[in-house]
């Protein structure tokens, strides 16, 4: 396909993806109030006759004149990008897929098929932990002070938690893909288990702003289980690869082991004498046989 045709196809794919995002964004604008209530449900808001004092509740507000408009547009665009992701991701895949081999397509299907459920599970876990995190953060407010939270800050905190949890659940999948491409071996990943567990629990403690271990364990526990699942899969894949190809684990500059077992020598096959000179092949120019002296050609 010529370069102009590729550029034209890319333009059409981008246009379809942008139209899908725009359509979902418009729908999100219509239901922006419901989306805000859904994302701020984790905040213990004060009732009509309840005053915010200390950490009992919080008041969600807009701090600037343009905050309602900018927050609504930001939330709608984010919802458009997320909810329309199947469409624009398919357009991107349809543009790239014709240049991939059959095995590369198979790995891509497997990666996408596992990445979506893992990210969804991490996002759902973050949404479950959010009320605990917000309640603990609000409880630190001293008596006599009121919690007046910006709705934009609450939405940013919620989306950041969902994104971090979803991406954290993709770590085992990345390790599996590195093993399938031959970059990492299962034995090497298994040797990292102490550092990985320590890093996962430290990451869970930092990313979940709660003083109790519930949030940390809720994030670090599933990631640890997924990590060991990735290690087990990688070990089985390395065993299968070694069975099919004993030299698969060797580096590019490493020589394979030589088989020095003696073998029986078969019968010697006769080899015809090569005729290098015309006189040896056809005799003398007159057509008579070549003269030989003591069994050798007299030509030489």
């Amino acid at each position: 396909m010529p370069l102009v045709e590729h550029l034209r196809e890319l333009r059409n794919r981008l246009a379809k993806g942008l139209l899908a995002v725009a359509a979902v964004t418009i729908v999100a604008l219509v239901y922006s109030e419901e989306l805000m209530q859904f994302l701020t449900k984790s905040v213990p808001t004060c009732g009509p006759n309840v005053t915010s004092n200390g950490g009992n509740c919080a008041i969600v507000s807009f701090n600037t004149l343009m905050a309602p408009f900018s927050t609504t547009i930001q939330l709608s665009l984010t919802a458009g990008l997320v909810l329309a992701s199947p469409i624009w991701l398919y357009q991107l895949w349809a543009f790239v897929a014709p240049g991939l081999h059959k095995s590369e397509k198979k790995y891509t299907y497997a990666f996408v098929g596992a990445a979506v459920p893992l990210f969804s599970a991490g996002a759902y876990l973050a949404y479950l932990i959010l009320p605990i995190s917000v309640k603990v953060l609000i409880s630190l407010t001293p008596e006599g002070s009121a919690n007046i939270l910006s709705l934009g800050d609450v939405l940013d905190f919620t989306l950041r938690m969902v994104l971090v949890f979803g991406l954290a659940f993709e770590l085992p999948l990345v390790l599996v893909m590195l093993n399938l491409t031959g970059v990492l071996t299962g034995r090497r990943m298994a040797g990292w288990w102490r550092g990985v567990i320590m890093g996962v629990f430290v990451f869970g403690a930092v990313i979940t702003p709660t003083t109790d271990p519930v949030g940390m364990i809720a994030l670090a526990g599933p990631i640890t289980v997924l990590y060991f699942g990735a290690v087990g899969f990688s070990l089985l894949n390395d065993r299968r690869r070694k069975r099919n190809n004993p030299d698969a684990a060797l580096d590019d500059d490493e020589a394979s082991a030589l088989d020095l077992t003696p073998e029986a020598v078969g019968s010697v096959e006769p080899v015809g004498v090569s005729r290098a000179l015309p006189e040896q092949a056809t005799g003398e120019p007159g057509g008579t046989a070549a003269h030989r002296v003591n069994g050798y050609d007299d030509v030489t």
Side-chain angles (χ1 to χ4, degrees):
M1 183 183 295
L3 178 60
V4 177
E5 295 295 330
H6 280 290
L7 295 177
R8 185 177 292 112
E9 182 183 3
L10 178 61
R11 181 196 61 187
N12 295 335
R13 299 291 183 187
L14 290 176
K16 292 178 182 179
L18 291 176
L19 285 176
V21 172
V24 178
T25 301
I26 293 174
V27 176
L29 279 171
V30 177
Y31 296 97
S32 59
E33 185 175 352
E34 288 79 1
L35 286 174
M36 290 182 184
Q37 293 177 357
F38 175 75
L39 294 176
T40 58
K41 192 177 180 180
S42 59
V43 179
T45 56
C46 300
N49 299 323
V50 179
T51 303
S52 176
N53 183 16
N56 61 331
C57 62
I59 300 174
V60 180
S61 64
F62 293 103
N63 297 331
T64 61
L65 181 63
M66 292 296 295
F69 175 77
S70 60
T71 303
T72 303
I73 295 298
Q74 179 185 359
L75 178 62
S76 301
L77 285 175
T78 304
L81 286 173
V82 173
L83 298 179
S85 58
I87 299 177
W88 59 263
L89 283 176
Y90 170 76
Q91 298 298 328
L92 179 62
W93 167 254
F95 178 74
V96 176
L100 299 178
H101 297 289
K102 186 177 180 180
S103 59
E104 294 172 341
K105 291 181 181 179
K106 179 180 67 175
Y107 287 145
T108 305
Y109 287 139
F111 183 84
V112 174
V116 174
L118 287 175
F119 186 88
S120 301
Y124 180 71
L125 181 62
Y127 190 76
L128 293 179
I129 295 177
L130 270 172
I132 303 175
S133 303
V134 174
K135 187 176 296 184
V136 170
L137 291 175
I138 290 179
S139 65
L140 300 177
T141 305
E143 290 289 336
S145 301
N147 286 297
I148 302 177
L149 307 178
S150 171
L151 182 59
D153 294 339
V154 174
L155 294 178
D156 289 341
F157 179 76
T158 303
L159 294 176
R160 191 182 302 114
M161 288 284 291
V162 169
L163 184 62
V164 168
F165 272 62
L167 293 179
F169 270 58
E170 303 291 343
L171 173 63
L173 182 61
V174 173
L175 295 177
V176 169
M177 294 303 296
L178 291 176
N179 176 260
L180 291 175
T181 54
V183 178
L184 279 179
T185 62
R187 184 183 298 274
R188 180 175 297 179
M189 283 191 289
W192 295 345
W193 70 272
R194 294 181 181 86
V196 169
I197 292 178
M198 177 63 69
V200 166
F201 274 88
V202 171
F203 174 76
V206 172
I207 204 63
T208 53
T210 58
T211 56
D212 60 286
V214 176
M216 178 184 67
I217 296 176
L219 175 62
I223 296 178
T224 303
V225 174
L226 291 173
Y227 168 75
F228 282 109
V231 171
F233 175 86
S234 300
L235 290 174
L236 293 176
N237 183 59
D238 291 341
R239 185 179 301 176
R240 177 193 61 82
R241 186 181 299 166
K242 186 176 182 180
R243 185 171 58 250
N244 296 335
N245 182 13
D247 300 332
L250 297 177
D251 296 333
D252 294 338
D253 56 350
E254 186 177 359
S256 59
L258 298 178
D259 187 7
L260 302 178
T261 304
E263 296 182 359
V265 179
S267 59
V268 179
E269 296 181 0
V271 180
V273 180
S274 60
R275 303 296 184 176
L277 299 177
E279 290 82 357
Q280 293 175 324
T282 59
E284 294 180 352
T288 59
H291 297 286
R292 293 179 177 274
V293 177
N294 296 329
Y296 296 96
D297 294 334
D298 59 352
V299 177
T300 56

